[in-house]
Amino acid sequence: MRTADIGVTGLATMGRNLARNFARHGHVVAVHNRTEGRTKQLMEEHGHEGAFVPSSSVEEFVSSLQRPRKAIIMVKAGPATDAVVEELAAYMEPGDMIIDGGNAHFEDTRRREAALRERGLHFVGSGISGGEEGALNGPSIMPGGAAEAYETLGPLLEDIAAKVDGTPCCVHVGPDGAGHFVKMVHNGIEYADMQLIAESYDLLRQALGLSPSEIADVFREWNRGDLESYLIEITAEVLGHTDVATGRPFVDIVVDQAEQKGTGRWTVQSALELGVPVTGIAEAVFARSLSGHPGQRAATRSLAGPEGTAAHAEFVDDVRHALYASKIVAYAQGFDQITAASEEYGWNVDRGAMATIWRGGCIIRAKFLDRIRIAYEAEPSLPTLLADPAFAAALSDAQDSWRRVVATAATIGVPTPGFSSALAYYDALRRDRLPAALVQGLRDFFGAHTYHRVDREGAFHTDWSGDRRERPA
């Protein structure tokens, strides 16, 4: 039996394409699937693309791997992953590694990494972004786990990853669950990005009466400037597509209920626990949730709203500015969450490196990620991207348009939770004082939660139900 450089078990679309990617780069790849039919199908359809070693059992699969063994799991997150990990580990030896390339929750990855470390095995939770096309032609890869494991595994992953300016879109993110955490936040940013794009489309259609094909042309034009990105590019493709069966714009025959697989929700849940305001991502998650309640939407369709439009001649350009500014906020919030988690778990994540590996292969790849990379290279301890001079200038230039867009949306009754929350976040950050002072006063009144003063140190409580004297807490 040939000794394989690396193995892939779980040969659905992503796993199959990842295995083909390795083989196309000259690596010998062991392949296995719980149902042998998929293994046979891979060999029949793509066996000519490189050196594959098919296996019909887990024991045979592990035995075909060169030591230290490297096995990638591409199965559904949750109990299925635990089952496959245990099956593989039973046949492995100290120093071998199991790589989970699925969208696992980072806490599960931390648990698995700790358990396998006690058995002398490496567990690498690796985010892989780019969909089926990226898996085949070059994804963005975000591996976590021990640095020792990456020394052996890294060259293989970097070989198949997307390349931008000759740099692989793959880097060791940090220990235990760091890789899957960063991939989770990547997906959260993706949610926000798509919501902002959808709001832009909705505004151009509702305020200006543009057709989907006309809006497609607008997005094609935007893709030639600062907004250049994969999502802007494919938005133009989707909006420009005509349904063959009806002759109507494709976007008009799709049910307006957006689904989700959970990574966006995980991002928001984690942000709440870390105390990081990722308002743009949260609004995107809630917008999908709201769209999935057709009964409530139908029951409230008769609610009163404004009539007519209030758009102006420069509205298209205003929306472009608002979209760019809101995207900056969404990405800034995502990077803030990575910073908080890195400090909480001791991961020491390099934020500039994350921007670098997201420039190619992944779904949120965009021109302005290079600007994010430059910002963190210039100031590694940057407290927020909004404090970077280049991004601060871009937001300043966009703010008048941004405000007009949010005001216009409110005037004509078009919901823009993404744009509105991003602007509110921007305004909150730049304020000298926030109304949180009143909130803290109310908390002290009903719950004796204390407060701090601006003029001296310490915590205080006012006896609201008594003489209203202030006392040190």
Side-chain angles (χ1 to χ4, degrees):
M1 181 177 293
R2 294 189 66 175
T3 302
D5 302 317
I6 195 162
V8 178
T9 180
L11 300 177
T13 303
M14 285 290 289
R16 180 176 67 247
N17 283 1
L18 202 64
R20 293 171 61 196
N21 192 348
F22 278 114
R24 288 179 172 187
H25 281 81
H27 302 291
V28 181
V29 188
V31 289
H32 168 265
N33 195 75
R34 183 176 59 84
T35 54
E36 196 173 355
R38 279 186 172 169
T39 308
K40 292 180 178 178
Q41 183 182 14
L42 169 64
M43 297 305 297
E44 291 171 0
E45 296 178 358
H46 305 290
H48 64 280
E49 294 180 352
F52 295 98
V53 181
S55 303
S56 58
S57 69
V58 172
E59 182 178 9
E60 183 183 355
F61 172 69
V62 174
S63 298
S64 69
L65 296 171
Q66 178 183 349
R67 292 179 175 83
R69 300 178 179 93
K70 298 170 283 295
I72 299 179
I73 298 172
M74 298 298 291
V75 299
K76 187 176 181 180
T81 298
D82 283 318
V84 175
V85 167
E86 192 54 42
E87 282 185 295
L88 291 171
Y91 297 105
M92 287 188 160
E93 301 172 352
D96 291 346
M97 61 193 76
I98 298 172
I99 305 99
D100 179 10
N103 277 332
H105 193 284
F106 77 98
E107 291 286 12
D108 286 338
T109 300
R110 298 187 74 213
R111 168 178 57 81
R112 291 165 184 147
E113 193 276 337
L116 289 186
R117 192 184 338 123
E118 291 185 356
R119 298 164 66 172
L121 302 176
H122 292 294
F123 185 78
V124 177
S126 181
I128 300 176
S129 178
E132 58 185 276
E133 180 183 347
L136 180 62
N137 299 314
S140 176
I141 308 177
M142 297 150 259
E148 177 188 350
Y150 191 78
E151 290 178 6
T152 303
L153 177 65
L156 288 166
L157 298 182
E158 291 174 15
D159 195 23
I160 68 161
K163 310 292 190 301
V164 176
D165 299 329
T167 301
C169 293
C170 174
V171 72
H172 180 233
V173 176
D176 55 72
H180 273 147
F181 185 91
V182 166
K183 174 57 163 59
M184 176 191 75
V185 174
H186 163 283
N187 286 21
I189 294 172
E190 179 185 304
Y191 272 56
D193 209 339
M194 285 193 286
Q195 175 64 25
L196 293 169
I197 287 171
E199 290 178 17
S200 300
Y201 150 75
D202 199 24
L203 281 167
L204 294 178
R205 193 163 190 188
Q206 301 303 320
L208 298 179
L210 298 181
S211 68
S213 63
E214 290 172 326
I215 301 172
D217 289 336
V218 171
F219 274 90
R220 291 189 185 98
E221 180 62 31
W222 287 355
N223 201 45
R224 298 186 182 100
D226 289 339
L227 286 170
E228 179 186 333
S229 67
Y230 174 68
L231 284 173
I232 295 291
E233 175 188 343
I234 66 172
T235 296
E237 294 299 314
V238 173
L239 290 176
H241 183 59
T242 299
D243 177 52
V244 176
T246 64
R248 296 169 59 193
F250 171 76
V251 71
D252 286 346
I253 59 92
V254 177
V255 174
D256 60 340
Q257 296 176 32
E259 300 176 0
Q260 51 186 314
K261 291 189 175 180
T263 48
R265 183 169 62 251
W266 290 349
T267 305
V268 177
Q269 290 170 340
S270 166
L272 289 170
E273 292 171 358
L274 291 168
V276 181
V278 292
T279 54
I281 298 171
E283 290 293 355
V285 172
F286 288 134
R288 292 196 189 189
S289 298
L290 188 152
S291 75
H293 289 276
Q296 289 181 344
R297 292 168 59 194
T300 55
R301 203 151 290 152
S302 60
L303 290 175
E307 296 182 2
T309 62
H312 46 277
E314 297 80 22
F315 192 64
V316 172
D317 204 45
D318 276 352
V319 174
R320 177 178 65 83
H321 283 298
L323 176 56
Y324 187 60
S326 299
K327 280 164 66 77
I328 292 173
V329 168
Y331 280 70
Q333 291 177 348
F335 276 93
D336 289 347
Q337 185 172 356
I338 291 172
T339 301
S342 182
E343 294 173 354
E344 175 72 17
Y345 301 110
W347 288 335
N348 195 29
V349 177
D350 183 338
R351 295 174 295 178
M354 297 307 99
T356 298
I357 66 171
W358 287 350
R359 294 181 303 163
C362 70
I363 303 303
I364 65 170
R365 58 186 184 267
K367 178 180 180 180
F368 92 132
L369 275 162
D370 212 41
R371 294 186 181 181
I372 295 178
R373 175 188 62 81
I374 293 169
Y376 283 122
E377 285 182 354
E379 182 53 70
S381 60
L382 193 67
T384 171
L385 281 174
L386 274 61
D388 171 73
F391 283 119
L395 291 168
S396 178
D397 290 343
Q399 72 152 329
D400 288 343
S401 293
W402 200 1
R403 296 182 193 286
R404 283 194 295 267
V405 166
V406 171
T408 298
T411 300
I412 65 176
V414 173
T416 55
F419 283 153
S420 301
S421 68
L423 181 58
Y425 179 84
Y426 171 81
D427 281 337
L429 280 185
R430 66 182 188 82
R431 284 282 298 278
D432 179 53
R433 279 183 63 78
L434 293 169
L438 176 58
V439 172
Q440 198 61 13
L442 295 173
R443 293 182 73 245
D444 187 62
F445 190 107
F446 65 70
H449 292 298
T450 75
Y451 54 87
H452 292 82
R453 297 177 59 94
V454 298
D455 54 358
R456 58 182 183 268
E457 296 294 321
F460 301 88
H461 168 62
T462 292
D463 184 6
W464 297 101
S465 59
D467 57 13
R468 298 211 171 189
R469 290 184 178 180
E470 181 181 79
R471 296 174 177 84

